[in-house]
Amino acid sequence: MRHGAGLSFEEEFLPEERLEWEPPERLTISQYSDRHRVLDSASSAEPGPWRTDRTPYLRAIMDAFNDPEVETAVFQSCTQVGKSETVLNILAYIIDQRPGPTMLVYPTVETAEDFSRTRLQPMVKGHKRLRKKMLGDRHLFTTLRMQFSGMDLFLSGANSAASLASKPIEYLLMDEVGKFASQGLGDEADPVSLAMERTKTFTHSRKIFMVSTPTTAAGRITREIDDCDAVYDYHVPCPHCGVFQVLRFQQVKWPEVEKEDPERYRRVEEETCYECPHCKGKVTDVHKAWMLLKGEWREEKLSGRRKKIGFRLSSLYSPWVKFGQMAVMFLRSKAYPEKLQNFVNSWLGEPWEAKTHDRKESAILVLKENRPRGLVPSEGVLGITAGIDTQDDCFYYVIRAWGKFDESWLIREGKIEDYDALLEI
């Protein structure tokens, strides 16, 4: 403290000291982020001041933290919609405006360390207000534990029971809970339950935020969404008829292209649009920014309570993803179940449901053809392929006919030992 004649009360203190007794601003997280958050070029494709209007669907998700009714917010999300920045905005707000012991949990300790080094620490050190909140001792500011004025921030991995235990936590943030170990850790409970146990001390002030791309209908984030008191989908107006709607992938329309066309994916990406189901108007990527700004979250599941709320969002809403890109990704994935699941989970933000059909023997026999072995069907066939598996002492082969829509017919199959006989077949 400095003393001198004629100094005002405020002038008696250094700016860093005044920051300690300066009352918090009465801002929501989105307002705080718009005022104080700056994105750096090392981690953002759009460096500069944060603008919630760029991704307006994140406003309600972030501000749920400020809602006194809400204790837990669940975000079932696709990729590339800003969920990592949402986590960083919440952390910045906690450190600066509402300090309290906080834990951020990732699927593994290694993932948590990587996020700390590449995203969290650069944000803190590049944020003037947060930098002033750091305590000077380097031993108090490590990769997995950071001490700020009035609070500790812990980073943990869901694969480590030790990193989740023995810390009373007021604010708990869990990222990619769909990738958390589904079983308990040894004799401990499952990671989500174990982490939530840490918040019991703060019965009336705790806040829990969990976000993840979904996996299956039985996956953790989808089960948490199903458990919510209220679930919200983002409705946007059609630029032609004004009807509010949830964007659905079945309304994405692209031109018919032949597989042999080397320009097919370029054409699809450039000519795809979204068709309004109400007026059949064509919606393009140019309309998206306006639609997002006019959009609103509407409750799909009504219960009268809002202690635990959920949000669902697909890449159709992302300002960085074009409708044509989604169409191309679907076309590249649809023939491969594992790639199609990734499209459904990471692009549509929906849980994967494997469709299987049980058929009785009689129903299967109905599908049997009377066509003789070796005879090609008279209609629908565009081409014939032969597949050969070479063994040390023989060849296994299969010959199939193929139609326009990837249907196929078995023509002949077998095992043969003589190479010349194989060529004859």
Side-chain angles (χ1 to χ4, degrees):
M1 184 180 297
R2 299 169 295 152
H3 296 277
L7 291 177
S8 68
F9 179 71
E10 287 191 1
E11 291 173 328
E12 291 281 342
F13 294 89
L14 296 170
E16 293 81 1
E17 294 171 323
R18 292 201 300 271
L19 188 63
E20 292 301 318
W21 48 260
E22 186 179 85
E25 300 168 284
R26 293 184 178 275
L27 302 172
T28 64
I29 291 181
S30 64
Q31 292 169 338
Y32 173 85
S33 302
D34 285 332
R35 183 173 297 186
H36 297 299
R37 181 85 197 281
V38 177
L39 305 177
D40 65 83
S41 57
S43 60
S44 175
E46 297 183 3
W50 169 270
R51 293 180 297 125
T52 304
D53 281 350
R54 180 70 168 134
T55 50
Y57 47 77
L58 293 178
R59 190 185 312 277
I61 298 172
M62 292 188 289
D63 292 350
F65 188 92
N66 303 103
D67 191 329
E69 285 187 78
V70 177
E71 180 181 278
T72 302
V74 182
F75 185 17
Q76 179 175 285
S77 165
C78 57
T79 57
Q80 298 183 342
V81 290
K83 60 186 177 66
S84 293
E85 296 299 340
T86 300
V87 171
L88 289 169
N89 287 344
I90 294 173
L91 288 172
Y93 178 86
I94 291 172
I95 295 167
D96 191 14
Q97 299 290 300
R98 195 168 162 178
T102 303
M103 178 181 285
L104 175 59
V105 185
Y106 274 87
T108 66
V109 173
E110 293 75 18
T111 311
E113 290 175 332
D114 182 69
F115 182 82
S116 176
R117 286 191 298 265
T118 62
R119 304 297 299 275
L120 179 55
Q121 292 190 43
M123 180 193 74
V124 170
K125 293 174 182 177
H127 192 304
K128 181 173 64 175
R129 297 177 67 90
L130 303 188
R131 194 166 58 243
K132 291 178 180 179
K133 298 281 185 175
M134 294 170 56
L135 297 189
D137 190 339
R138 63 182 179 85
H139 298 292
L140 301 178
F141 197 86
T142 63
T143 305
L144 295 178
R145 178 181 178 179
M146 303 176 192
Q147 196 166 62
F148 299 92
S149 177
M151 64 170 285
D152 281 317
L153 170 60
F154 302 97
L155 284 87
S156 305
N159 61 337
S160 170
S163 71
L164 297 174
S166 305
K167 303 178 184 74
I169 296 299
E170 185 173 9
Y171 309 126
L172 173 63
L173 289 77
M174 293 178 280
D175 199 357
E176 290 299 347
V177 298
K179 297 179 182 177
F180 286 13
S182 58
Q183 304 299 322
L185 301 172
D187 296 329
E188 303 280 358
D190 73 275
V192 173
S193 300
L194 193 60
M196 292 178 70
E197 281 291 311
R198 306 278 71 81
T199 67
K200 290 171 66 175
T201 305
F202 297 90
T203 307
H204 302 294
S205 62
R206 64 185 174 188
K207 295 287 184 179
I208 299 167
F209 179 73
M210 60 180 75
V211 59
S212 182
T213 51
T215 52
T216 66
R220 186 67 193 229
I221 196 70
T222 304
R223 286 189 283 126
E224 294 291 344
I225 282 284
D226 291 340
D227 187 53
C228 286
D229 301 320
V231 178
Y232 296 87
D233 293 306
Y234 202 64
H235 290 67
V236 293
C238 170
H240 305 293
C241 66
V243 175
F244 276 76
Q245 57 198 276
V246 176
L247 298 182
R248 306 290 187 191
F249 184 67
Q250 59 262 35
Q251 295 306 122
V252 176
K253 308 297 180 180
W254 56 87
E256 288 190 17
V257 291
E258 297 293 337
K259 287 186 176 180
E260 296 76 17
D261 182 358
E263 296 290 306
R264 63 188 185 279
Y265 290 135
R266 182 192 61 78
R267 282 191 57 209
V268 168
E269 183 168 344
E270 292 178 356
E271 298 176 30
T272 295
C273 67
Y274 187 93
E275 183 181 88
C276 174
H278 304 282
C279 70
K280 307 303 179 184
K282 290 185 177 182
V283 179
T284 68
D285 297 298
V286 174
H287 296 115
K288 190 182 290 188
W290 177 85
M291 294 166 68
L292 293 179
L293 278 174
K294 298 293 183 180
E296 56 190 47
W297 289 99
R298 293 185 179 180
E299 193 170 354
E300 179 269 337
K301 178 181 176 182
L302 301 171
S303 69
R305 298 177 74 240
R306 296 186 73 254
K307 186 175 182 180
K308 183 177 182 179
I309 63 174
F311 302 89
R312 298 180 296 204
L313 201 71
S314 81
S315 292
L316 290 167
Y317 294 90
S318 173
W320 303 287
V321 178
K322 296 180 179 179
F323 294 135
Q325 288 176 298
M326 294 195 67
V328 169
M329 181 56 64
F330 171 73
L331 293 174
R332 290 183 182 275
S333 305
K334 67 175 184 175
Y336 308 95
E338 68 282 359
K339 291 184 178 181
L340 186 58
Q341 178 175 355
N342 178 69
F343 176 78
V344 171
N345 292 160
S346 299
W347 290 70
L348 300 186
E350 298 174 2
W352 171 259
E353 295 184 40
K355 291 181 171 56
T356 59
H357 301 280
D358 294 328
R359 288 179 172 174
K360 295 182 180 180
E361 182 179 351
S362 58
I364 294 175
L365 289 174
V366 170
L367 302 176
K368 180 182 177 182
E369 287 187 284
N370 293 321
R371 175 172 45 84
R373 184 170 183 263
L375 180 65
V376 178
S378 60
E379 295 181 0
V381 175
L382 298 181
I384 301 175
T385 62
I388 302 167
D389 183 15
T390 304
Q391 301 294 318
D392 292 337
D393 58 348
C394 67
F395 304 94
Y396 288 94
Y397 69 91
V398 60
I399 298 174
R400 301 194 71 89
W402 298 86
K404 183 176 182 180
F405 300 103
D406 292 338
E407 70 270 41
S408 68
W409 299 265
L410 179 63
I411 306 302
R412 181 173 175 175
E413 86 299 326
K415 170 185 175 183
I416 196 165
E417 298 177 2
D418 183 76
Y419 180 71
D420 291 333
L422 177 66
L423 291 179
E424 188 68 26
I425 291 172

